[in-house]
Amino acid sequence: MTAATTDPVKLPPGPPVPSLVQGAAVLAARYGSIAALGRRYGSTFTLRVPVFGTTVVISDPALVKELFSSSRELIGRPQNNLGGDVLGPGSIFNLEGDELLARRKLLLPPFNGKNMRAYETVTDQEVLREIGTWAEGVEFPTVDPMMRITLNTILRTVFGAEGAELDEMRELMPKAVEFGSKIALMPSIVRKDMGPWSPGGKFAGYRRRMDELLKSVMSQARSDPDFADRGDVLSLLLQARYDDGSPLPDSYIVDELLTMLVAGHETTSTQLAWTIERIRRHPDLLVRLTDEVDAGGNELLLATIAESQRTRPVLTAALRRARTRIQLGEWVIPEGATILASTQLAMAAENSFEHAERFDPDRFVGKPPNPFAWIPFGGGMMRCIGASFATMEMEVTLRTILREFRIEPTSAADEKPHSRGVTVTPAQGGRIVVHRRTPGAPRAADSVSAGNGDTR
């Protein structure tokens, strides 16, 4: 187990090149550079990069388990994270220790089974609304449609209402998320508000308007005669109480609502685009998925989502900070160093996933993965609190598309990963070709041979 130590610092080896060069390589070609470093140094190595400083990269499940199981006194948030500058001091992304534990207890109830069933209905409605505009027989990217589905779903499930404020959020949020994602990994000076023409100032303008809209929606929720009976996340947060009976301050609720919108919008939609990109290149799988949806099942569909997350992770790392000098495995890591659990390397490891280079959803059918090898949502106390919500959104979205359309397979080359800042997207947007299904029509591909049939 991870423990505090006074032993001399002992870091794993890493590339002997300047910090700026390392940082530029990781940002410019995240998938490729991390994969190359993994081949060169193995599952553990040290980087020295701007913003995060000394960074120990781990991916072995044993070390990941140690990290995620470490006490709150030893491991905390990285010093340079989204919380303070982008999402605000009240965001769960800016909390650690006992404060984080208390906030998680407060935020979990809105995502329980009863509420999730209601959220499924909303998601299905939003998917049907979006795909009703899709052109048949024409290839188009799915990233933007998926973003509209996830954003509208979150707006309705979080706020439980429609109105002018939510209409404006539909326009404002994609711009704010895209811009915030681009500056989030830059040095903190770039994220500071230094006037309307600075990057930080531009984002601050987005943030001020979002705050105004969120406070207005909160006021409307409180004045609703049915406020106590509402099941949307906002109403549940406004009524939530800590163990001592105190409420969550309004300013913190604003930060949490913004966190849910940002964290649950871009990541889920991007993973959906990647899943479509993957299944189009596996025509046999398309047939099986459509048959399963028609029969009312979901086991293969959930396994396909999990395999998409494994092979094309949208977030490539879970970041932590050593709060004191610690022993992690054979290494001694200094106080303040960043520890990066690489989702990309962990989920591409052959010793964890046989034939790891293949896209093979059957590996997860009836076989839950090792939670310290399959880590798309992170782990431990900082595991994504919206993991079940995101999985529900992806399942309902894909199920509805497969129910309503026949998806054409393709023999085109795999889409390359493209860094969008925080997330990694399909370079061509996860392109799709669909034909609306009619009674008696083929249930999947016109011909299995239409795709390339490989398993990469």
Side-chain angles (χ1 to χ4, degrees), residues 252-316:
Y252 285 7
I253 292 178
V254 168
D255 289 347
E256 289 292 11
L257 293 172
L258 185 61
T259 300
M260 292 177 191
L261 288 169
V262 171
H265 164 47
E266 184 178 22
T267 53
T268 306
S269 56
T270 303
Q271 196 70 65
L272 279 165
W274 270 124
T275 306
I276 287 169
E277 187 274 345
R278 292 287 77 207
I279 64 177
R280 286 195 69 206
R281 286 154 177 81
H282 299 83
D284 288 335
L285 177 62
L286 263 178
V287 173
R288 293 172 61 202
L289 285 170
T290 305
D291 287 346
E292 180 184 66
V293 166
D294 288 350
N298 69 349
E299 187 176 45
L300 180 61
L301 181 56
L302 288 172
T304 300
I305 293 168
E307 182 71 341
S308 169
Q309 291 173 296
R310 185 189 73 82
T311 57
R312 297 294 190 275
V314 170
L315 300 175
T316 57

Side-chain angles (χ1 to χ4, degrees), residues 23 81 85 132 172 226 264 308 370 434 441 445:
N81 70 85
D85 292 340
L172 184 62
D226 298 320
S308 169
N370 178 341
V434 297

